[in-house]
Amino acid sequence: MKRNIIGLCLVATFLVSFSSFADVSKSEKQALLELFKQTNGDKWNTSWDLNTSVDTWYGVTVKNNAVVKINLFHNNLSGAIPASIGDLTYLTELNLAFNQLTGELPSEISKLHRLSVLKIEMNRLKGSLPENLGEMVQLQELTAFNNFLSGTIPNSVGELKRLKVLNLSSNNFKGTIPNSIGSLENLETLGLFENSLEGTMPSEFGKLEKLKELVLANNQLNGAIPKEVGQLANLEIFQVQNNGFDSFEDINAIKTSSLLVFDFDKEKIQTSPKYKDIDSFMTRMADTKFEDDNDN
C-alpha cells in the first residue's frame, strides 16, 4: 500500500512538473527566448528565470497555453526586437515602451493579427513602419512616439478600422499625411507632432467623428485648415502651431462645444478665429511625449 501511495505521489509530482513546463508551444517559447537574448535579458531591471515555467516570467501572461500579453515597460531592454516576435500569434498586447531598443521594427510584427495594443514609445527605434501594418486588423492602440522612425506613414494604416489611439509624434516621418487616416472611424487621438510632414491637412479628417485630440504641431504642413475639420464636434485638443498654415477662415464656424485647447500661429493669421472658453495658450506638448510615465 505504501509503495502504491508513494508511486502515485511521484506520478502526480511528475505530471504537475510536466504541465508547468509544457504551458506554451515550442515556437512561442523560442520566440520569447530570442526576445530575451536579443534585448540583453540578463541586464533587465527584472529578468526571467529561464529554468522556470513561462507563465511565471515577469510581464508574460499565458492563457489557454498561449502567450497573450507581454508587458516589459521601463525594464531596461536594449538591442533589437527579433523577427520571431511574429511567431507569438496569440498576442493581444505588447508593451515595450520606455526602454532602449534600437534597430528597426521587424515587418514580421504585422503577423500579430490578434494584437490590440502595441506600445513601443520612448525607445531608439529607426527605419520605417511596415508597409503591411494594415494586416493588424484588431489594433486599437499604436503608440510609437519619441523614436527615430522615418520614411512615410504607410497608407495601410487606414485599414486599422478599430484604431482609437495613433501617436507617432517626435519621430522623423516625412511626406504627406495619408488620406486613408480619414477611414479610421473609431479614432479618438491622433498625434503626429514634431516630424517632417508636409503638404496640406487631409479634408478626410472631417470623417473622424470620434476624434478628441488632433496634434499636428511642429511639422511643415501648409495651406488652409480644411472646412471639414469644423465638423469634428468632439474635438478637445487641437494643436497646429509651428507649421505653414495660412488660413483658418473655413473653421470659424466650428461646431464643437468641447474644445479646450487650440494652439496655432497667431502671427500668421490676419483674422484669428474666436471661440468662447478656449485657452489658446494652454499646451499639452510635453504630456503628449511622456504620457506613459506611470504605466505598468
Side-chain angles (χ1 to χ4, degrees), residues 68-69 90-94 112-119 136-143 162-165:
V68 295
K69 295 181 183 180
Y90 291 93
L91 209 59
T92 61
E93 295 184 19
L94 178 59
L112 303 180
H113 298 161
R114 293 180 174 88
L115 201 67
S116 63
V117 176
L118 176 57
K119 301 174 74 62
M136 304 170 74
V137 293
Q138 299 297 324
L139 207 58
Q140 296 183 31
E141 183 173 355
L142 171 55
T143 52
R162 296 177 180 266
L163 204 62
K164 295 181 179 179
V165 176

Side-chain angles (χ1 to χ4, degrees), residues 14-68:
F14 171 77
L15 288 174
V16 170
S17 175
F18 177 80
S19 64
S20 66
F21 281 91
D23 51 358
V24 299
S25 67
K26 288 183 179 179
S27 61
E28 285 190 304
K29 186 168 184 179
Q30 185 59 36
L32 291 174
L33 291 174
E34 289 186 22
L35 176 64
F36 181 86
K37 179 180 178 181
Q38 295 296 325
T39 61
N40 297 296
D42 55 338
K43 296 181 181 179
W44 292 356
N45 293 335
T46 303
S47 192
W48 291 343
D49 183 349
L50 303 183
N51 295 314
T52 61
S53 176
V54 169
D55 59 5
T56 67
W57 293 359
Y58 173 77
V60 177
T61 301
V62 176
K63 184 177 181 181
N64 297 328
N65 297 329
V67 179
V68 295

Side-chain angles (χ1 to χ4, degrees), residues 1-13:
M1 179 65 72
K2 286 185 177 180
R3 289 181 179 179
N4 289 338
I5 294 174
I6 292 174
L8 289 172
C9 288
L10 289 173
V11 170
T13 301

Side-chain angles (χ1 to χ4, degrees), residues 182 202-209 211 226-233:
S203 60
E204 286 80 2
F205 278 8
K207 300 176 182 178
L208 304 175
E209 296 180 357
L211 198 65
K227 64 179 184 298
E228 288 82 1
V229 172
Q231 302 170 8
L232 301 179

